[in-house]
Amino acid sequence: MNRLFMAVLLGALAGCANLPQFSFPSSAPASRTANAADALLTEADRLADKVGRGEINRVDAAEKLGEMRIKLVGRNLVDDDVYRLYYQISQLRDAGKLDGDSARKQMEDRLKYWQRRWPGLQNKPANPAFTQFMFKVYGLSPLPVNK
């Protein structure tokens, strides 16, 4: 699948306005989290194909990615924030209230926000896998994390 199409489609899947504001540190072992962003990208590709065929909607795909991210690395402040927006954008896209360009702009702005905030962030999550996955999708530099 064309990466640009994937980026637009995934941008269209985005955000979550209804998630609680929890911030649990990720404590999953490194062996379990090392390739989490790649695993999310693979799953996103699979789900994007289903969305494209009309088998599921964007919100369903976002929910499945959200479940996977929690299974892979748990919750953390950064991923919860990025996922919340991802889910919210998915809802708006499914409702026809947001176009692909606007969705992409919102997600890029949020990712750039985390790039700016990361250096001074106290208690950085060990593996913000969902956020790192989104950086890959949008072709942005990932957050520097210790492995």
Side-chain angles (χ1 to χ4, degrees):
M1 177 177 283
N2 178 314
R3 286 285 180 192
L4 178 58
F5 174 74
M6 261 309 293
V8 171
L9 183 57
L10 289 172
L13 294 176
C16 184
N18 298 325
L19 286 179
Q21 295 285 333
F22 298 120
S23 110
F24 300 107
S26 176
S27 58
S31 63
R32 190 171 147 216
T33 62
N35 295 313
D38 290 333
L40 286 165
L41 185 57
T42 299
E43 180 66 0
D45 285 339
R46 187 184 74 76
L47 293 169
D49 288 340
K50 286 185 156 204
V51 170
R53 290 190 304 268
E55 295 174 15
I56 61 175
N57 63 31
R58 292 173 181 100
V59 171
D60 294 335
E63 288 171 351
K64 290 180 187 312
L65 281 177
E67 291 167 7
M68 184 177 185
R69 82 180 176 96
I70 292 168
K71 285 178 188 174
L72 288 172
V73 297
R75 292 179 178 260
N76 65 70
L77 171 71
V78 179
D79 277 354
D80 287 353
D81 178 68
V82 171
Y83 178 76
R84 197 172 11 267
L85 178 60
Y86 180 78
Y87 189 85
Q88 180 183 41
I89 291 172
S90 297
Q91 292 175 318
L92 293 171
R93 291 283 291 154
D94 276 353
K97 296 179 178 179
L98 189 67
D99 65 33
D101 289 339
S102 296
R104 181 176 182 83
K105 172 86 168 90
Q106 284 185 27
M107 186 54 68
E108 284 178 347
D109 287 349
R110 181 63 52 93
L111 294 171
K112 289 175 182 176
Y113 163 81
W114 281 111
Q115 283 177 325
R116 288 188 309 271
R117 186 166 175 210
W118 187 260
L121 184 65
Q122 298 295 317
N123 301 316
K124 291 179 178 86
N127 186 1
F130 188 81
T131 304
Q132 299 292 47
F133 145 71
M134 292 302 289
F135 278 118
K136 284 185 179 192
V137 169
Y138 284 87
L140 297 171
S141 298
L143 299 173
V145 294
N146 296 332
K147 295 185 179 185

